[in-house]
Amino acid sequence: MRTGIRAVIAVAAAALVLPVAPAHAGERPADGDFTIADPRITESSGLAASAAHPGVYWTHNDQDKPLIYGVDSRTGETVATLTMEGVGTPRDMEAIAVGPDGDIYVGDIGDNLDGSWDHVWIYRFPEPKALKDQTVRAKQYVVKYADGPRNAEALMVHPKTGRVYIASKREGGGSLYAGPEKLSSSGTNTFRPIGEVPWVTDGAFSPDGERLVLRSYFSAREYVWKDGRIDGDGVSAGAPLQGQAESVTYTRDGSAFMFGSEGANSGVVRVDRPDAPAASGDTPGAPRPSGAGESPAATGPQGGSATTGFLVLAGGIVLVLGIKRLLRRGD
């Protein structure tokens, strides 16, 4: 009798760790939660919404290969692989952004030894008009910091001025650096500190240029951007709990944040901005992107319901505790 009950407990405990099936399958609305399906993308370290292709997000591995991937948020599938030429071998690509000129900027700015490189690089190339595997000719910019070498993982391009900013990464807080008004491909581009920031793993400007979101492994804050600087202490951006939380960007219309993480089959989670209007194209009764209008805990990274998963987990715990009580009575 007791052996049989213990077997039931084992089965119930195993059920607690079974994944909840996704609530949606196949193609979904653009700009909702999605899972990066490409097995080559195991360390997605930056994320940027395409300016030319709605619903597509550019990302890259934290690696030494000059590869950029375009991922369709409707399916999670890679729809373009870009190979940069005209640049050296990347060392530690950490960030990506799209500028007002339609160019893609890639930040090869990582330095895990926090000062081992006396310079880092930014790569820049026009966003392709066609989504297909192709080679793109990129410019390479040498970057130094006015106050010496440091580690960084966040590169942001202002959508109105085109100025490039970098946030350094330090546990106790780093600095926000502004680049020159125009980057030079023939000389050194000196980035100068303009303010203090918390521990940052990525950041992005809103499409209207009036806000800046910065994230860390455990949280994210959105700041007002005024006169070329952060204004105020910001507000929570509602970052979801993720494995290695590495990336953030805005949706193309600025109505939501998209939070990404590293790892194979990593999830990208949409979190609506608190004061955001209804998603573009919404009509009464029309489907919204998964996660739209919900709290970050309401939808899992693959479109499954985390609420359902919680109920399953709670039910399993109740089942196990009940069986244990029966065991104690039988002793």
Side-chain angles (χ1 to χ4, degrees), residues 34-303:
F34 66 95
T35 298
I36 297 175
D38 194 327
R40 299 173 297 173
I41 306 174
T42 57
E43 295 180 295
S44 175
S45 193
L47 199 66
S50 168
H53 308 286
V56 170
Y57 289 82
W58 298 106
T59 189
H60 55 83
N61 281 317
D62 178 355
Q63 63 175 17
D64 59 359
K65 294 181 180 178
L67 300 177
I68 308 298
Y69 304 95
V71 180
D72 191 336
S73 60
R74 302 168 188 84
T75 63
E77 300 290 340
T78 298
V79 291
T81 301
L82 312 179
T83 302
M84 292 185 294
E85 68 173 8
V87 301
T89 301
R91 286 187 299 218
D92 189 359
M93 297 196 305
E94 291 285 359
I96 190 167
V98 179
D101 50 10
D103 285 2
I104 294 175
Y105 295 70
V106 182
D108 187 0
I109 55 177
D111 185 350
N112 289 327
L113 297 180
D114 207 14
S116 58
W117 307 115
D118 67 352
H119 68 277
V120 291
W121 298 304
I122 293 173
Y123 311 125
R124 174 184 176 184
F125 58 88
E127 182 173 11
K129 294 181 180 178
L131 289 174
K132 62 180 181 179
D133 295 352
Q134 56 193 292
T135 299
V136 292
R137 186 79 182 174
K139 292 181 179 179
Q140 179 168 313
Y141 303 95
V142 174
V143 169
K144 290 188 176 184
Y145 302 99
D147 51 357
R150 57 210 54 246
N151 187 27
E153 293 190 3
L155 176 146
M156 298 76 65
V157 182
H158 195 272
K160 302 299 182 183
T161 67
R163 197 162 198 162
V164 181
Y165 298 83
I166 294 175
S168 63
K169 177 189 176 185
R170 301 191 71 172
E171 290 186 31
S175 296
L176 182 64
Y177 293 84
E181 288 187 17
K182 277 192 170 185
L183 295 178
S184 169
S185 57
S186 60
T188 297
N189 297 274
T190 301
F191 278 61
R192 304 184 184 282
I194 60 170
E196 296 180 353
V197 293
W199 191 11
V200 175
T201 60
D202 199 15
F205 281 108
S206 60
D208 60 11
E210 296 180 358
R211 298 176 302 277
L212 172 69
V213 62
L214 298 173
R215 85 165 301 177
S216 69
Y217 290 125
F218 308 110
S219 64
R221 296 190 73 77
E222 185 184 44
Y223 301 89
V224 171
W225 185 259
K226 185 177 180 181
D227 299 328
R229 278 175 166 68
I230 287 174
D231 184 28
D233 297 328
V235 296
S236 172
L241 290 177
Q242 294 174 297
Q244 187 165 343
E246 285 282 341
S247 58
V248 66
T249 192
Y250 286 85
T251 53
R252 190 182 180 194
D253 63 3
S255 65
F257 308 108
M258 301 294 282
F259 291 98
S261 62
E262 286 192 0
N265 299 116
S266 60
V268 176
V269 179
R270 174 190 173 111
V271 175
D272 280 1
R273 295 188 61 258
D275 59 348
S280 58
D282 274 4
T283 55
R288 292 170 64 92
S290 58
E294 302 173 2
S295 70
T299 308
Q302 297 184 22

Side-chain angles (χ1 to χ4, degrees), residues 5-15 320 323:
I5 294 176
R6 287 196 176 100
V8 173
I9 291 176
V11 171
V320 170
I323 295 173

